[in-house]
Amino acid sequence: MHPAQTYALTVDVHTLETFRALVEAIIPNTPALSVYGAEQSAGAVDLCIHEYMIWELDHNLSLVLGFYLTVVPLSASTATMLNASAVQFVASGQAQCAPNSSIWESSPFSSLSPVDRIRVLAMLEQLNVDLGAFPPPYRDDGGFVRFMVDFLNRQTMFGYYSEWSAYGTTRLATPTERRLESFPLSWRQVGYPGVVPGYRALRGYLLTIVRKGGESTIE
């Protein structure tokens, strides 16, 4: 079995549903204006950014454990934090729309309307939550909760405008095994031509140096 398929099987379905709902709320599928005019913009779910977020949280964030920085898988605990926050959000009477009861048990966060999901993120950012109800490493750690809310917003945007979606069937493999299978839709939307060998790069500035004796050199 390909490593990408093996990793996909390790992701809990509740975690997958929660992150799909997260990125859908941040970058929905809506008409957008690109450099080529109005067109339908693919949403984050269309480009599998929920899978990108799970991969990043499980492989690229480190925590200090004892005396050492250690990569700690964080997707499952982050999904649990979002779901616990959604429960508190609904219990406090702040929901503008009734949750979808058919998926509430599986993922309370996913059961909320996209607008209410964003409001849950705002509630987390403001720490208007019971931190003691969260799993480690978020329990009673408001600083880390705020960091993660910022990360979720920024990283969703970063993943959307990266080459992630173009990796296709190799996207869940290790970075060295990934291969571009197409041109990223988000790059086409903003008119980015992609990586081209030979782009000019700044290598410094020309300086005229006057040395002792009056002679000048350009370096």
Side-chain angles (χ1 to χ4, degrees), residues 3-32:
Q5 296 173 307
T6 302
Y7 172 69
L9 291 174
T10 67
V11 178
D12 180 81
V13 64
H14 308 298
T15 298
L16 190 66
E17 288 180 7
T18 302
F19 276 94
R20 183 184 290 112
L22 171 73
V23 303
E24 178 189 43
I26 295 175
I27 308 179
N29 187 323
T30 58

Side-chain angles (χ1 to χ4, degrees), residues 46-184:
D46 299 315
L47 303 189
C48 298
I49 304 305
H50 50 296
E51 295 179 350
Y52 167 80
M53 294 296 292
I54 292 171
W55 174 274
E56 288 293 299
L57 284 166
D58 283 347
H59 295 86
N60 289 334
L61 288 185
S62 300
L63 299 177
V64 176
L65 298 180
F67 298 100
Y68 304 99
L69 274 174
T70 305
V71 175
V72 178
L74 290 172
S75 67
S77 59
T78 303
T80 300
M81 177 186 71
L82 291 172
N83 285 317
S85 300
V87 171
Q88 295 182 37
F89 178 78
V90 172
S92 66
Q94 298 182 62
Q96 293 182 348
C97 303
N100 185 336
S101 59
S102 66
I103 58 176
W104 173 264
E105 292 296 327
S106 176
S107 173
F109 184 80
S110 302
S111 74
L112 301 179
S113 68
V115 171
D116 281 339
R117 294 173 209 160
I118 296 298
R119 295 180 72 204
V120 168
L121 293 178
M123 185 178 75
L124 278 166
E125 188 174 40
Q126 297 162 10
L127 298 183
N128 293 329
V129 290
D130 177 10
L131 295 173
F134 294 160
Y138 301 107
R139 182 174 298 153
D140 298 322
D141 192 338
F144 192 50
V145 168
R146 277 180 165 160
F147 164 82
M148 183 52 65
V149 173
D150 181 64
F151 177 86
L152 294 176
N153 280 285
R154 286 186 295 105
Q155 206 67 14
T156 297
M157 298 296 293
F158 182 86
Y160 184 82
Y161 288 105
S162 74
E163 70 279 11
W164 171 265
S165 63
Y167 286 133
T169 59
T170 68
R171 65 183 177 273
L172 294 179
T174 59
T176 57
E177 296 178 309
R178 294 172 187 163
R179 297 292 182 270
L180 289 174
E181 298 178 353
S182 62
F183 192 83

